Amino acid sequence: MVGERLTARQADALRDELARLEGPRREEVVAAIKKAREFGDLSENFEYHAAKNEQGLLEARIRTLRSRLDGAEIVADAGADEVGVGSVVEIEGNGRTMSVEVSAVGGTGTVSPTSPLGTALLGKKLGETVEVQAPKGAWTATIKQIS
């Protein structure tokens, strides 16, 4: 099974986050646990339990990133003639214009390639009208720009 499709830039962003989490962030959490142990009785030590909880969340995020990167299919940056992973697309629909990047990495201004909008946009060309099958009802949008 092929994992999610990422551009080289998107995969690098995930690798950078992974390096931060496995290096300095992991060291900070270990230091916080060590310091909290010095407060004594671990059964009633809030700082210790909070630090251990944070460590669990950190390790879960590290596992998630490793899994995403291990299963990722690296794709070429999309061109300006057809919407692909990594494309920044300006669309007009529902009485408004918006610009989104098709990205599996996420973040502000992005849309997942597996989301209703991402699925509708992938493979389409400039000027095409797409129908988006959204949970709150279908709507149409026209592709105004691809970069």
Side-chain angles (χ1 to χ4, degrees):
M1 180 183 119
V2 176
E4 63 191 312
R5 294 177 292 174
L6 301 170
T7 64
R9 181 179 53 81
Q10 292 167 341
D12 286 343
L14 291 180
R15 285 187 198 98
D16 289 347
E17 180 182 356
L18 184 60
R20 279 192 313 279
L21 296 180
E22 288 181 326
R25 188 70 193 114
R26 190 180 261 163
E27 291 170 14
E28 290 170 9
V29 170
V30 168
I33 291 171
K34 183 179 179 197
K35 183 176 181 180
R37 278 191 176 137
E38 295 169 2
F39 293 131
D41 184 9
L42 296 182
S43 66
E44 296 182 18
N45 185 330
F46 172 78
E47 289 84 2
Y48 175 78
H49 292 288
K52 288 296 282 183
N53 186 51
E54 188 173 346
Q55 181 184 40
L57 294 172
L58 173 70
E59 294 302 326
R61 178 66 180 156
I62 288 171
R63 282 191 305 276
T64 298
L65 288 172
R66 285 198 166 283
S67 175
R68 286 179 73 183
L69 286 166
D70 288 347
E73 174 189 357
I74 306 301
V75 297
D77 284 326
D81 57 335
E82 184 177 290
V83 178
V85 174
S87 292
V88 176
V89 185
E90 184 177 302
I91 60 172
E92 193 175 274
N94 273 357
R96 65 184 191 149
T97 300
M98 67 177 167
S99 181
V100 296
E101 178 183 359
V102 180
S103 170
V105 175
T108 305
T110 65
V111 61
S112 168
T114 59
S115 71
L117 180 56
T119 301
L121 291 173
L122 283 178
K124 300 299 189 271
K125 297 185 183 311
L126 185 65
E128 282 192 61
T129 298
V130 297
E131 185 169 337
V132 182
Q133 298 297 326
K136 292 185 179 182
W139 55 284
T140 58
T142 303
I143 300 171
K144 295 296 185 182
Q145 184 177 346
I146 303 171
S147 56

